[in-house]
Amino acid sequence: MENKKAKEYRKVQTQQAEQQSTDKSSKQTAEQHMNDLEATKEEGKILDPATLDAIMSHFRTSLEASFAHKSQNKEEPEPFLVLLDPESIQTYLEQAWDLDRFVLDNSFLYLLSLNPQLHQTDFKTLIFFKDGRLIKTRENSNSVMRSLFDLIGFSYDFIRGISTRVSGKDSHCVPYIFGRYSFLPLSGPTRQQSSWINLSKVQHYRALKGEKGVEVHCVNQHVFQLPVRPQFFADKVKQSGQIVHRQEHLLRNVLKNFDYVDGRKEERENNLLGNAFHAHTDRISLISMEDYIRIFQFSFAETALRHPSLRDNPVTDEALHLLRENLYVDLPHLRNAAK
């Protein structure tokens, strides 16, 4: 480790020496050109166009070389290339920032759940970001992702439940799809630690020949080899695309019903209901979007239980009672609502 730091220090010192030499040379060249021009002026001589053009051309070349050298010295993060072998992770572990408290955002590319024996580390999670940042933390991946879901406003179980009900079947590793957020767990996130890939940042992928894995190419030329079966990944990409399509279809219908497809209608802006936001909204403001959707679900269930075909079923009244009891217990701010 010390040898590596020494090499990096010598590299920086060499670059600074080269920069100073280039700047000094450019400065001397520029001063020489200006001195030549002043001397010529004092002698009363007039430079011919060809000589003047040659001097200015050499002057421009010197400046361009100086700026080029400065731009080359500007360090830019190299694209990630994460391979299946554990050795490739060690380099990134050494470079990553050690943080146990941070805010995860949608700019992450790959959240890797670390294996203590395989990766020889006491850190539990390594996170790659699209701008080249690296964070390692002793928090497990479930904890890190839950903090992100809290910011979004919907838990994984909630999104999983909606996707399962819409598709009509439960499946392993249901992707978390909600608007611009598209995350895929690479193993069961409800039972153990899991690595996650941000599907919204993936541009394309391919199956690895002779390897049990897929190679995903993300934005900014970052490449990750994931230890999952190609068929599993292809199925999850297809499932994610279907969920996105369903959500967009639902959103279009909602916007259409609220007159937002072609812009709000003018009569809505000036009528009684359009100005209803001036009324007291303390109680309404207590309801989160998640709870609002749950209320919709309970309402649909109540409507179904009141269907004429169930009117004489003795279980119906008990089911309605349990439904309302669960609704108002889970949503305390509605306890005083009429039952």
Side-chain angles (χ1 to χ4, degrees):
M1 194 68 174
E2 292 298 328
N3 291 336
K4 182 178 178 181
K5 290 184 177 179
K7 289 180 180 179
E8 292 178 351
Y9 178 77
R10 286 196 297 271
K11 182 179 178 182
V12 171
Q13 293 296 317
T14 302
Q15 290 176 345
Q16 291 178 348
E18 291 176 352
Q19 174 64 34
Q20 292 175 356
S21 177
T22 302
D23 293 343
K24 183 177 180 181
S25 176
S26 300
K27 183 178 179 181
Q28 290 176 346
T29 302
E31 290 177 349
Q32 183 62 42
H33 292 329
M34 295 304 296
N35 291 336
D36 291 342
L37 288 174
E38 290 295 330
T40 303
K41 186 185 296 184
E42 291 175 0
E43 294 174 2
K45 296 180 180 179
I46 300 177
L47 292 176
D48 60 277
T51 303
L52 181 60
D53 183 65
I55 294 174
M56 296 307 297
S57 177
H58 187 68
F59 184 61
R60 283 193 297 268
T61 302
S62 300
L63 289 177
E64 289 173 358
S66 176
F67 285 119
H69 183 76
K70 290 181 180 179
S71 62
Q72 289 174 358
N73 287 341
K74 183 180 179 181
E75 294 185 3
E76 295 183 358
E78 291 290 332
F80 296 125
L81 177 59
V82 179
L83 307 179
L84 290 177
D85 60 286
E87 289 76 14
S88 69
I89 302 299
Q90 296 304 319
T91 303
Y92 293 117
L93 272 172
E94 294 175 2
Q95 298 173 355
W97 297 345
D98 177 2
L99 297 175
D100 283 340
R101 291 291 181 269
F102 61 95
V103 178
L104 183 65
D105 57 48
N106 196 32
S107 67
F108 89 90
L109 302 174
Y110 183 33
L111 187 145
L112 175 63
S113 177
L114 297 168
N115 184 314
Q117 289 76 30
L118 187 63
H119 299 110
Q120 300 178 354
T121 179
D122 60 344
F123 290 95
K124 295 181 179 180
T125 309
L126 179 63
I127 311 168
F128 301 81
F129 292 83
K130 72 173 185 178
D131 60 1
R133 282 179 296 147
L134 273 168
I135 290 179
K136 57 185 176 183
T137 177
R138 291 176 178 81
E139 294 185 63
N140 63 44
S141 60
N142 282 348
S143 176
V144 174
M145 289 304 296
R146 276 198 298 268
S147 67
L148 177 58
F149 298 151
D150 288 341
L151 289 177
I152 297 173
F154 297 93
S155 67
Y156 174 78
D157 289 335
F158 181 75
I159 297 296
R160 177 192 178 114
I162 291 178
S163 299
T164 300
R165 291 186 185 95
V166 171
S167 62
K169 62 178 181 179
D170 194 6
S171 62
H172 186 61
C173 300
V174 176
Y176 184 104
I177 307 293
F178 182 72
R180 67 177 181 272
Y181 302 102
S182 306
F183 312 127
L184 174 64
L186 303 184
S187 59
T190 58
R191 293 184 291 275
Q192 60 182 353
Q193 276 212 145
S194 175
S195 297
W196 292 73
I197 188 74
N198 190 342
L199 291 178
S200 66
K201 301 294 185 290
V202 176
Q203 296 179 325
H204 58 89
Y205 73 95
R206 68 179 183 88
L208 293 173
K209 294 182 179 180
E211 298 278 358
K212 184 183 177 182
V214 296
E215 182 177 277
V216 297
H217 293 250
C218 301
V219 295
N220 295 353
Q221 300 181 343
H222 299 299
V223 179
F224 302 94
Q225 291 184 356
L226 309 180
V228 294
R229 292 182 296 105
Q231 189 58 49
F232 164 85
F233 194 79
D235 291 342
K236 292 306 169 184
V237 169
K238 180 180 179 181
Q239 182 183 11
S240 301
Q242 292 172 344
I243 296 174
V244 169
H245 175 75
R246 292 178 184 129
Q247 288 186 359
E248 289 181 348
H249 179 72
L250 172 63
L251 181 61
R252 283 196 298 268
N253 285 333
V254 170
L255 293 179
K256 181 179 179 180
N257 290 334
F258 281 88
D259 299 328
Y260 277 102
V261 173
D262 298 319
R264 294 188 68 179
K265 294 182 179 179
E266 293 182 1
E267 60 266 24
R268 176 73 63 82
E269 296 178 356
N270 299 313
N271 66 9
L272 177 65
L273 296 180
N275 294 319
F277 62 86
H278 293 299
H280 296 291
T281 57
D282 293 341
R283 182 169 172 273
I284 298 176
S285 64
L286 294 174
I287 305 177
S288 67
M289 178 59 72
E290 182 177 357
D291 289 347
Y292 201 81
I293 294 176
R294 290 176 61 202
I295 293 171
F296 264 81
Q297 292 174 327
F298 278 108
S299 178
F300 289 141
E302 283 186 319
T303 302
L305 288 171
R306 289 195 179 98
H307 192 272
S309 63
L310 299 175
R311 183 175 301 165
D312 299 327
N313 193 320
V315 180
T316 302
D317 290 339
E318 183 179 355
L320 280 170
H321 174 74
L322 291 174
L323 191 67
R324 292 168 181 164
E325 186 179 62
N326 289 332
L327 170 63
Y328 296 117
V329 168
D330 292 344
L331 304 175
H333 49 271
L334 296 181
R335 282 176 180 169
N336 297 327
K339 297 185 180 180

